[in-house]
Structure formats: C-alpha cells, structure tokens
Amino acid sequence: MSEKLINIESFHPLDIFGANDQNLEVIRNFFPKLKIVSRDNYVKVFGEESDTVEFEEKFNTLLLHFEKFGRLTKTDIGLLLNSESNGAAMAPEGQNDVLVHGKNGMLIKARTANQRKLVESSLKNDLVFVIGPAGTGKTYTAVAMAVRALKNKEIQRIILTRPAVEAGENLGFLPGDLKEKLDPYMQPLYDALGDMLPTQKLLQYIEERVIEIAPLAFMRGRTLNNAFAILDEAQNTTPSQLKMFLTRMGAAAKFIVTGDITQIDLPKHQTSGLLHAQKILNDIPGIDFVYLDKSDIIRHKLVGKIIDAYSKET
C-alpha cells in the first residue's frame, strides 16, 4: 500500500471539491481502488503505488484547469479524468476571445473595439500607452492581459504601480504606517486582481512577490526582467518619474502605461509626464499609443453623461 499527500493550500477546498463535496464524489468514482480523504488543505490518497501516482497526475490536471478557467464543474471533471481526453484542459466552446477566466467562471474579455485594439497592440509592442477617460476599462483590461501572461507562463511576475499623488486628499493625515496609508490608494488594482484570481492564489502570489503592487517611487533603481509591468494613473507622473519607470524595462518585459489626461492632479505649474511622453515617444517602433473614448465606457450609463457635462464646462 502507498500513501500520497497532496497540498492544495493555494485553493479553497470548496472551489475544488464543490458544495457538499459533490466534485469529490465524482473524483472518487473515477478511482474506485483508492481511498481519498480531504482534510483542510491536503488530500490524502491510499492505494497501490501505480494508482496513487496516476491519481496525483490527474488531480493536478484538475487544479491546473481551475487555475486557468476559474471553475471546476462535475462536467469538467468527467472530461478531464476520462482517459480519452488525455488530461487536456479545454476552454468552453466559443470563448477564444476571453482574456482570463476569473473567479466563479467569470469571463473577462475586451468588450469594446478600442479595448480589443489595446489587446492587439500589446501583442505586437512591448510598450503601450493607453489614454482615455474614467470607466473605459484601461486598467482592468491591462491587468487581465498581465494575469493571462502569468497563467500562460509568458512572464514570471506582475508589477502594478501608481504615482502616490494625492487627488485632493492628504495621505499624511491617514492613520497607520506607509503601507496602510497607501493600500486604499492601490485598491483599484487589488479589486481587478480579485476578480481574476482565487483569493488564496492571489495572497500566495503577493506573499511570494510574484505579484507586486507598489508606489511608483519604489521602482527606482530596479530592472524588471520577465515581468508584465503596468503603470496606472500616469497622468500624475512628472516627466522624470515616467522616464524612470520606462527605463526599468528589462529583458522579456511588457509595459503598459495607462492614464486619463482630463484628470491631472499635479500642481498647475508641473508638466504631466504622460503629456510629455505623447510628444516625444510617438514615432518610436515598438511603442504604441491606444486611445479610448466615451464609447468605451463600461461603467454605469450615467458616467458617460457626467464626463460630457464636465468636458463642456471646461
């Protein structure tokens, strides 16, 4: 008799075994010779060594399927464990345009023509600037592409950063240490990642620094190799800050810079690094600028009308 212990602490047991262990029962039916026990963050398997080895291989296929597609149904288990499927994890039909299968099977894709332009441009260029108003999915689409690249093992880590410019608020008066002061400012990045990765996996990635979310100042002096780096709110960088970020690009890196030039929070005498970059980087091969507009707004329908009203006033 042989015993195998499989660690699943990167996953929530409910995601893998289903409500009332429905998925676990399906798995057990495929391995009638084995005793399979789920305990907290582990799965224990008892049986002949050849059977336990086969179980571990196929069970890992189930975990990989959930990690990639954000769901594991009884149908998925049947297809993946069936010997004729050769353990191949297959995307549901008609989902070739999906960027990421998020939590609970959420399908995250480019939803507008300009968002699709962003995806296509990032495939062709290592540095892409994305400029557009609030609610157009600039950051969300960029984060989805970064998560996809990580899941596909095209890169080794994701770097998400923002300039810590106070939009009418004073960070110094917030309670707590530096991280506690800055975390609320970085929350939109956490929110996007939270839609795309299981909670345990996201926490593991952050703890292991596979995913790093940090203020722009923390990028100084670094070289970002094999990374997908996103600079958000770039309209609030100075030219020297943006230059600093762009020159962090290392080997096998992808960079996306997002910003809304209608919401610059810098002092009036200070030039926006994003506006400056538009002027001097526009004609360099390998660098592209993608522009989104109010037709790309995917928030509440009133957001477009609000943007229109403010643009008319100015």
Side-chain angles (χ1 to χ4, degrees), residues 61-166:
T61 299
L62 300 182
L63 298 181
L64 288 171
H65 180 90
F66 178 79
E67 188 172 356
K68 183 170 184 179
F69 300 118
R71 71 170 201 183
L72 186 65
T73 66
K74 290 188 284 186
T75 301
D76 295 331
I77 293 169
L79 289 171
L80 290 162
L81 296 185
N82 189 301
S83 58
E84 294 179 2
S85 71
N86 295 320
M90 298 179 64
E93 188 176 350
Q95 295 183 14
N96 292 330
D97 59 340
V98 173
L99 293 173
V100 178
H101 291 74
K103 290 170 65 175
N104 302 317
M106 180 191 301
L107 304 182
I108 298 169
K109 61 178 76 176
R111 294 169 57 181
T112 70
N114 287 327
Q115 288 178 6
R116 287 189 285 273
K117 284 183 183 178
L118 166 57
V119 174
E120 293 167 3
S121 178
S122 182
L123 293 173
K124 298 174 183 175
N125 301 281
D126 287 338
L127 171 58
V128 180
F129 289 83
V130 193
I131 299 173
T136 52
K138 304 182 298 294
T139 304
Y140 200 81
T141 305
V143 171
M145 287 189 290
V147 171
R148 180 179 68 173
L150 182 64
K151 286 187 173 185
N152 291 343
K153 304 187 186 305
E154 297 166 9
I155 46 99
Q156 295 177 0
R157 55 183 173 154
I158 295 173
I159 311 292
L160 306 176
T161 186
R162 280 180 152 200
V165 173
E166 303 158 10

Side-chain angles (χ1 to χ4, degrees), residues 36-312:
I36 304 168
V37 180
S38 170
R39 289 286 184 271
D40 299 322
N41 295 323
Y42 294 91
V43 176
K44 283 187 177 182
V45 188
F46 304 88
E48 295 297 326
E49 184 172 3
S50 59
D51 293 328
T52 60
V53 169
E54 180 187 6
F55 174 86
E56 184 176 28
E57 291 175 353
K58 293 203 170 184
F59 187 74
N60 283 334
T61 299
L62 300 182
L63 298 181
L64 288 171
H65 180 90
F66 178 79
E67 188 172 356
K68 183 170 184 179
F69 300 118
R71 71 170 201 183
L72 186 65
T73 66
K74 290 188 284 186
T75 301
D76 295 331
I77 293 169
L79 289 171
L80 290 162
L81 296 185
N82 189 301
S83 58
E84 294 179 2
S85 71
N86 295 320
M90 298 179 64
E93 188 176 350
Q95 295 183 14
N96 292 330
D97 59 340
V98 173
L99 293 173
V100 178
H101 291 74
K103 290 170 65 175
N104 302 317
M106 180 191 301
L107 304 182
I108 298 169
K109 61 178 76 176
R111 294 169 57 181
T112 70
N114 287 327
Q115 288 178 6
R116 287 189 285 273
K117 284 183 183 178
L118 166 57
V119 174
E120 293 167 3
S121 178
S122 182
L123 293 173
K124 298 174 183 175
N125 301 281
D126 287 338
L127 171 58
V128 180
F129 289 83
V130 193
I131 299 173
T136 52
K138 304 182 298 294
T139 304
Y140 200 81
T141 305
V143 171
M145 287 189 290
V147 171
R148 180 179 68 173
L150 182 64
K151 286 187 173 185
N152 291 343
K153 304 187 186 305
E154 297 166 9
I155 46 99
Q156 295 177 0
R157 55 183 173 154
I158 295 173
I159 311 292
L160 306 176
T161 186
R162 280 180 152 200
V165 173
E166 303 158 10
E169 300 173 357
N170 193 328
L171 294 176
F173 287 99
L174 293 174
D177 59 20
L178 180 61
K179 183 180 185 302
E180 290 169 330
K181 290 175 188 287
L182 289 169
D183 270 356
Y185 189 71
M186 302 294 178
Q187 194 60 46
L189 302 175
Y190 287 109
D191 289 344
L193 288 168
D195 282 350
M196 301 173 196
L197 291 166
T199 303
Q200 276 84 354
K201 196 68 176 178
L202 175 56
L203 292 174
Q204 179 189 352
Y205 279 153
I206 291 174
E207 183 178 350
E208 296 175 354
R209 299 180 70 83
V210 174
I211 293 179
E212 182 180 350
I213 304 175
L216 179 59
F218 287 30
M219 298 297 110
R220 190 172 298 279
R222 302 177 61 183
T223 301
L224 304 180
N225 295 319
N226 299 300
F228 200 121
I230 300 172
L231 170 58
D232 195 31
E233 300 285 350
Q235 76 275 6
N236 289 328
T237 62
T238 64
S240 62
Q241 286 175 327
L242 185 51
K243 176 186 175 184
M244 180 273 290
F245 174 75
L246 297 178
T247 54
R248 301 308 93 202
M249 182 180 285
K254 284 275 188 183
F255 274 38
I256 292 183
V257 177
T258 74
D260 177 1
I261 57 177
T262 69
Q263 296 194 58
I264 297 174
D265 298 314
L266 294 168
K268 292 189 181 298
H269 67 274
Q270 182 64 262
T271 301
S272 166
L274 186 56
L275 292 175
H276 181 255
Q278 275 185 291
K279 296 178 182 177
I280 68 169
L281 301 178
N282 206 30
D283 298 323
I284 298 178
I287 300 177
D288 193 22
F289 284 77
V290 176
Y291 294 90
L292 286 76
D293 55 41
K294 66 179 183 179
S295 68
D296 299 295
I297 292 174
I298 53 177
R299 292 181 185 167
H300 194 286
K301 61 184 178 182
L302 286 177
V303 174
K305 295 178 181 180
I306 292 168
I307 290 172
D308 269 347
Y310 275 93
S311 63
K312 289 174 183 176

